[in-house]
Amino acid sequence: MHVPDGFLDVPTSIATGAIAAGAIGLALHRSGQELRRAGTPLAGLTAVFVFAAQMVNFPVGAGTSGHLIGGALAAILVGPWTAVLCLSVVLLVQGLFFADGGLTALGTNITLMGVVAVLVGYLVARAVVAVLPKRPGSVVAASAAGAFVSVPAAALAFVVLYAVGGAVPVPLGTLAAAMVGWHLVIGIGEAVITAAVVGAVVATRPDLVQLARRSLPPVQLVDAEGRPVAATGAAPTGRSAAGTRGVLAVAASVCLLVAGGVSLLASSHPDGLEFVGESLGFAGSSRDSAVAGSPLADYGLTFLPGAGGAALAGIVGVLLTAALAMLVLSLRRRFAAERGAPDRVDA
Amino acid sequence: MSGWLSDRGDPAPVAGQHTRDFDGLYLDRETIVHRLPAAAKLLALVSFLLVVVATSVAAWPAFLGYGLLLLLVLGTARLPAPLVARRMLVETPFVVFALLLPFVATGPRVDVGPLSLSHDGLVGGAVLLAKATLGVLAGVLLVSTTRSRELLIGLERLHLPRPMVAIASFMVRYATVVTADLRRMRIARQSRGLTGGGLAQLRYEAAGVGSLFVRSYERGERVHVAMLARGYAGRMPELGSLAARSTPGQWLTAATLPLTAGVVLAVALLLA
C-alpha cells in the first residue's frame, strides 16, 4: 500500500497532505491530555511496536506473503487518536529513514494507512464490541472484525484518490474490484494476526487494551479486612459526550477538507460513478435530478463559476448537512430531556 | 498496492532476522552532500520530486535530465552503484503494477507483437515507472547520506509538531531494543523446540507479538517515570540546540537541485 511518487498528481498529493496534517492536528489535540499523562515515551514505544509488528509475515497465497499494517491493532490497543499519531510517525520514519513510500506521497500514505485504516478499524471494532456481550473475549472478535474491514477500506480510499488524481486512466470498476478483492484476502491475514495479538494481551493485561477497558468490571476498593468501601472523590467515568464531539469534529473537518480541497480538483474530472458510467456507455441515459436548478447544482455555485465555486459549494454542502444533523441531535436531546432521561446523546 | 507483500526497508537480510538499526542505511563519507543540513536536503528533495511529479508526458525528455541530475548528486555523495541498486529493490511491487498498466488501461489499442496493448497504458506506465524510480532514488540518496539524529533535527527545524518529533525520536532510540526483544522471543521459542511453519507457527508468533506489546507498553511507562524522576516537566529539550546552525550558502547549495530540475522542465516544455 505504500504509494510511491508519481501515482497521484500534484494537486491530489497536496490535498491528501492537507488531510493528513488536519487529522494529525486533531489527533494531537484529542490525545494531548493522554500524552501528557502517560507520556510521549509510551506513544514512541507503541510506534516502535507497530513498526516491529509489521515484520510478522503471513502467507497470502500464490507464493507471496503479506504483513500487518497494524492500524486497527494500534487503535484497539492504545485508542484511535494515539494510534493516528503512532501510525503517522511510523509512515514518516519509513518514508524518510528507509526510503519506503514516496516523499511527495507521504500525505497520501498517512491518509490511507494512518487515518482511514485506523479510524475505520476502530469504529468497526467499537460497533461490534457494543453489540456483543460485555466479556473480554468479545474484544478479540471485535478486533478481528475491525482489522478485517480496515484493509479493504484503505484500498477503497486509494481507489477514490486514484479516481480524483490518478495518473493513468484505468477503468475504475476494474481497479476497485481488483484492489478491494485483493485486499480482502490480505484483510483476512490482518484479522487473524490482530485477533491473536489482542487475544494474547487481553489474556495477560486486559487493562492495557483500550477497547477492553469498558468491558472490564469496575474497580472495587476494599479496606484492610476485605470489605468493599465506597470510592471517594470523582469516580472514573466512561467516555462522556466529549468522545461523541470528537468523532463529530473529525468527521466534519475531514468532510470539509475533502469537499473544499478535492472538489476543486474534481471539477475537471467526472466523478467515479460518472466515469464508470461514461466508460460503460450509460451516461446519456441518466437524468439530472429535480434540484438541478438549485444554486448548488452539479457542485458549483451558479453565481460563482470556476474552481473556487466548486470548492465553496462543497464546503457549503457539508455545512448544510452538518447543520441538519445538529438540528436532529438537539431535537432528540430536548425530547429525551422532556421525558426525564439524562441530558446526553449516545452516538 | 502489493507493497504490503514485500519485506521492507533494507532488502538484504531476511525479515525479522536482523536488528533494525536506524543508522544502518547511512554510509559515512566526507562529501558536500553529507555535510548539508538535513532540513535543507529534505526540502530540496521534496521540491525536486514535486517538479518530477508535475511533469507531464509531453515533456518526457525532462525525465532523462532529472535522472542525470540525481546520478550526478549520487556521484558527488560517492555512493557505490551496487549499493544504490540493491536499495532500489523496494520499488519492485510498483514495477509490477506499471508493467500491468498497458493491459488494463483504457483508450486506443496498439499491437505489439501478439499483444494488443493500451496506448495510454503504455505511456502512462512508462511515466509512472520513471517517476517512481526517481522518487526511490531520491529517498535512497537521503537515507544514505543523513544520520537519523540529523534527520530528527531537520524535522524539528521544519517545525513538525513537537510531540511528533518526540515520538519519532523515541522510535529511533528504542527500535533496536524492541526488535532485539522480538528476536530473543523467537530464539526462545525455537530453543524450546518450536520448528516448522504454517498457521500454528503464526499463532505462536502472534502471541509473541502480544507479549511484545505488553513489554513495550511497560517499558514506555518505566521510561516516562524515569524521565519524571529526572525532572522532566512535559517539554522535551530541543534536539538541534547543540547542532551547528545551517548557513544560507548551504541552503542555496541544496536549492540548486530543485532549481535545475525546474530549468530542465522549462526547457523540455519549450522543445516539446
Side-chain angles (χ1 to χ4, degrees):
Chain A
M1 178 61 81
H2 284 67
V3 179
D5 295 298
F7 243 69
L8 303 172
D9 58 17
V10 173
T12 317
S13 301
I14 291 175
T16 54
I19 294 175
I24 289 173
L26 188 74
L28 277 174
H29 179 69
R30 294 288 311 162
S31 70
Q33 200 121 32
E34 203 176 322
L35 274 185
R36 263 191 299 282
R37 187 180 50 77
T40 36
L42 195 67
L45 274 146
T46 307
V48 186
F49 163 74
V50 171
F51 187 69
Q54 288 188 348
M55 284 194 262
V56 177
N57 288 297
F58 51 84
V60 193
T64 55
S65 66
H67 71 84
L68 212 61
I69 326 178
L73 177 64
I76 289 156
L77 290 178
V78 296
W81 303 115
T82 312
V84 166
L85 290 184
C86 290
L87 261 288
S88 302
V89 171
V90 167
L91 291 164
L92 179 82
V93 165
Q94 280 169 346
L96 293 188
F97 297 63
F98 290 101
D100 196 2
L103 289 177
T104 58
L106 198 57
T108 310
N109 284 321
I110 290 181
T111 304
L112 294 179
M113 286 176 275
V115 181
V116 173
V118 168
L119 293 186
V120 168
Y122 183 75
L123 288 177
V124 169
R126 246 190 83 174
V128 171
V129 101
V131 297
L132 288 181
K134 281 205 167 196
R135 270 186 289 120
S138 307
V139 175
V140 178
S143 313
F148 175 67
V149 178
S150 73
V151 181
L156 203 61
F158 172 79
V159 175
V160 171
L161 290 181
Y162 199 88
V164 173
V168 183
V170 173
L172 280 181
T174 317
L175 183 67
M179 281 293 285
V180 173
W182 180 239
H183 285 100
L184 279 174
V185 180
I186 298 181
I188 295 174
E190 179 99 6
V192 169
I193 303 227
T194 303
V197 173
V198 172
V201 182
V202 162
T204 49
R205 290 284 306 270
D207 55 312
L208 294 192
V209 183
Q210 208 262 2
L211 193 72
R213 279 182 203 154
R214 334 156 135 261
S215 42
L216 287 175
V219 176
Q220 178 66 59
L221 296 181
V222 289
D223 62 8
E225 277 85 46
R227 285 181 308 228
V229 291
T232 51
T237 52
R239 286 163 65 103
S240 63
T244 316
R245 273 208 306 277
V247 174
L248 281 178
V250 72
S253 50
V254 167
C255 286
L256 277 177
L257 267 168
V258 171
V262 180
S263 61
L264 198 94
L265 317 167
S267 54
S268 61
H269 244 274
D271 84 328
L273 194 61
E274 281 176 59
F275 186 87
V276 173
E278 267 168 33
S279 47
L280 296 180
F282 63 71
S285 64
S286 72
R287 283 216 175 78
D288 280 341
S289 76
V291 290
S294 89
L296 289 178
D298 258 349
Y299 304 113
L301 290 175
T302 43
F303 52 88
L304 193 68
L312 203 60
I315 293 173
V316 170
V318 170
L319 288 180
L320 276 178
T321 317
L324 206 66
M326 295 297 227
L327 190 72
V328 172
L329 277 179
S330 77
L331 281 178
R332 214 187 110 181
R333 191 177 297 152
R334 186 170 304 166
F335 184 63
E338 274 170 16
R339 284 176 46 182
D343 183 21
R344 193 178 148 208
V345 177
D346 284 306
Chain B
M1 298 298 92
S2 47
W4 281 338
L5 304 181
S6 65
D7 174 31
R8 335 267 226 37
D10 195 353
V14 182
Q17 293 295 325
H18 64 293
T19 307
R20 286 212 158 179
D21 186 357
F22 275 75
D23 273 339
L25 296 180
Y26 176 74
L27 205 70
D28 202 11
R29 293 269 193 283
E30 262 304 311
T31 73
I32 182 164
V33 184
H34 285 72
R35 276 196 299 271
L36 283 179
K41 254 187 275 190
L42 200 53
L43 264 194
L45 283 177
V46 170
S47 353
F48 169 75
L49 287 177
L50 280 178
V51 175
V52 169
V53 174
T55 307
S56 63
V57 187
W60 66 267
F63 290 116
L64 301 177
Y66 303 147
L68 214 60
L69 262 176
L70 267 189
L71 289 182
L72 213 65
V73 183
L74 285 168
T76 314
R78 303 222 315 274
L79 298 179
L83 180 101
V84 175
R86 199 150 39 83
R87 289 184 181 171
M88 303 261 314
L89 286 180
V90 192
E91 198 193 346
T92 317
F94 297 99
V95 176
V96 175
F97 181 86
L99 290 181
L100 279 178
L101 269 178
F103 296 96
V104 297
T106 51
R109 317 294 286 184
V110 283
D111 289 322
V112 181
L115 305 167
S116 168
L117 303 175
S118 156
H119 178 260
D120 289 355
L122 271 178
V123 175
V127 170
L128 202 64
L129 207 55
K131 288 179 181 175
T133 306
L134 288 167
V136 175
L137 212 51
V140 170
L141 175 69
L142 181 70
V143 298
S144 306
T145 63
T146 321
R147 284 183 208 274
S148 54
R149 199 190 128 72
E150 287 163 14
L151 263 177
L152 287 174
I153 295 174
L155 290 177
E156 192 181 72
R157 293 247 164 99
L158 292 175
H159 298 289
L160 193 78
R162 295 182 65 90
M164 296 280 285
V165 179
I167 294 175
S169 71
F170 278 112
M171 211 181 142
V172 168
R173 279 182 204 145
Y174 285 94
T176 331
V177 179
V178 171
T179 44
D181 247 1
L182 193 66
R183 203 179 54 238
R184 273 199 301 281
M185 283 192 264
R186 184 171 292 142
I187 292 171
R189 273 199 304 277
Q190 285 164 352
S191 62
R192 282 189 224 105
L194 181 70
T195 50
L199 280 176
Q201 165 102 37
L202 198 66
R203 226 183 77 213
Y204 297 119
E205 187 100 8
V209 175
S211 63
L212 183 74
F213 172 72
V214 176
R215 286 189 193 195
S216 304
Y217 195 99
E218 288 174 345
R219 192 187 298 279
E221 285 175 333
R222 282 199 305 276
V223 172
H224 187 233
V225 170
M227 282 164 61
L228 291 176
R230 286 168 180 77
Y232 171 73
R235 223 178 136 76
M236 294 288 285
E238 260 182 51
L239 292 164
S241 54
L242 295 174
R245 305 299 302 182
S246 47
T247 62
Q250 286 177 318
W251 281 87
L252 217 60
T253 314
T256 46
L257 179 68
L259 289 179
T260 320
V263 172
V264 168
L265 176 60
V267 170
L269 280 177
L270 281 178
L271 293 181

